[in-house]
Amino acid sequence: MGYCLFTLLIFLSFYAAAEASHCATNGLPILRNISEIDQDDYGRPGLSHTTIAGAIMHGFKEIEVWLQTFSPGTHTPIHRHSCEEIFVVLKGSGTLYLASNSHTKYPGKPQEFHLFPNSTFHIPVNDAHQVWNTNGPEDLQFLVIISRPPVKVFIYDDWSMPHTAAKLQFPYYWDEKCYQTPSNKDEL
């Protein structure tokens, strides 16, 4: 009985350490191996997301960095957010759909941009966009840098959906595990 309890305590201490390292808001090592950082699809088949440096996960205040891989045919939802976003395409190809109509009532017809290896593109604040892996045989992989984290995402059903009807997703899927609601001490 003592051995089983000892084994359980060791397992729980390793599990707690793993959970703590996933949501480490301080003490993050300066140098890390990307292949050892947690990755997940967050319930979206064909997606592989790794938060390399995050606001909620790691305590970063000004920027956030992600590594994302989309299998052929996979895409982001049509969405917008109030931060700047920069992509660096590492491999594969795809299509960026960008509607620069944040000043009108809905996104409207998006412009199409072809993505290719070693290309880079940016998304202006509040411009609705969507990224597709339109390349048949190969994954699309990119590095994503966002400003003003954590990201609050507004998701659209289609390009004609009014901005006011877009659904807020916050915390976003990869921030949910580490997000802690601020305590409001003045509330009953």
Side-chain angles (χ1 to χ4, degrees):
M1 182 67 145
Y3 177 76
C4 291
L5 181 59
F6 177 74
T7 304
L8 178 62
L9 289 174
I10 289 176
F11 170 77
L12 289 175
S13 67
F14 280 117
Y15 179 77
E19 288 298 299
S21 67
H22 177 80
C23 300
T25 57
N26 59 26
L28 190 65
I30 296 295
L31 179 66
R32 296 183 300 151
N33 182 337
I34 290 175
S35 63
E36 294 174 0
I37 300 173
D38 292 340
Q39 65 179 4
D40 199 335
D41 70 358
Y42 296 93
R44 294 172 47 192
L47 167 70
S48 172
H49 172 92
T50 303
T51 299
I52 295 172
I56 291 176
M57 258 185 224
H58 308 115
F60 284 82
K61 308 229 182 306
E62 303 294 329
I63 61 168
E64 194 157 290
V65 181
W66 309 327
L67 178 64
Q68 294 185 325
T69 305
F70 287 82
S71 63
T74 306
H75 57 85
T76 67
I78 300 168
H79 67 287
R80 69 176 168 85
H81 32 70
S82 59
C83 64
E84 295 169 305
E85 188 172 29
I86 298 170
F87 290 75
V88 178
V89 180
L90 302 175
K91 70 177 187 175
S93 61
T95 305
L96 164 66
Y97 297 95
L98 177 65
S100 299
N101 293 328
S102 57
H103 60 283
T104 62
K105 293 183 180 185
Y106 57 90
K109 184 174 172 29
Q111 292 179 276
E112 291 184 29
F113 298 91
H114 176 69
L115 309 176
F116 52 91
N118 297 319
S119 63
T120 184
F121 60 96
H122 73 278
I123 307 296
V125 173
N126 282 322
D127 280 358
H129 57 285
Q130 184 177 42
V131 177
W132 278 77
N133 179 347
T134 51
N135 183 9
E138 190 177 5
D139 286 347
L140 171 62
Q141 184 178 61
F142 39 77
L143 199 59
V144 183
I145 300 101
I146 67 164
S147 65
R148 303 190 314 196
V151 66
K152 292 180 181 177
V153 178
F154 294 88
I155 300 174
Y156 297 78
D157 294 334
D158 57 51
W159 295 100
S160 61
M161 183 177 197
H163 293 304
T164 55
K167 298 171 203 85
L168 172 64
Q169 175 67 46
F170 181 80
Y172 207 60
Y173 303 108
W174 34 85
D175 289 334
E176 286 178 339
K177 189 174 186 178
C178 298
Y179 183 73
Q180 297 177 5
T181 306
S183 62
N184 295 325
K185 295 182 180 179
D186 295 337
E187 291 185 21
L188 297 175

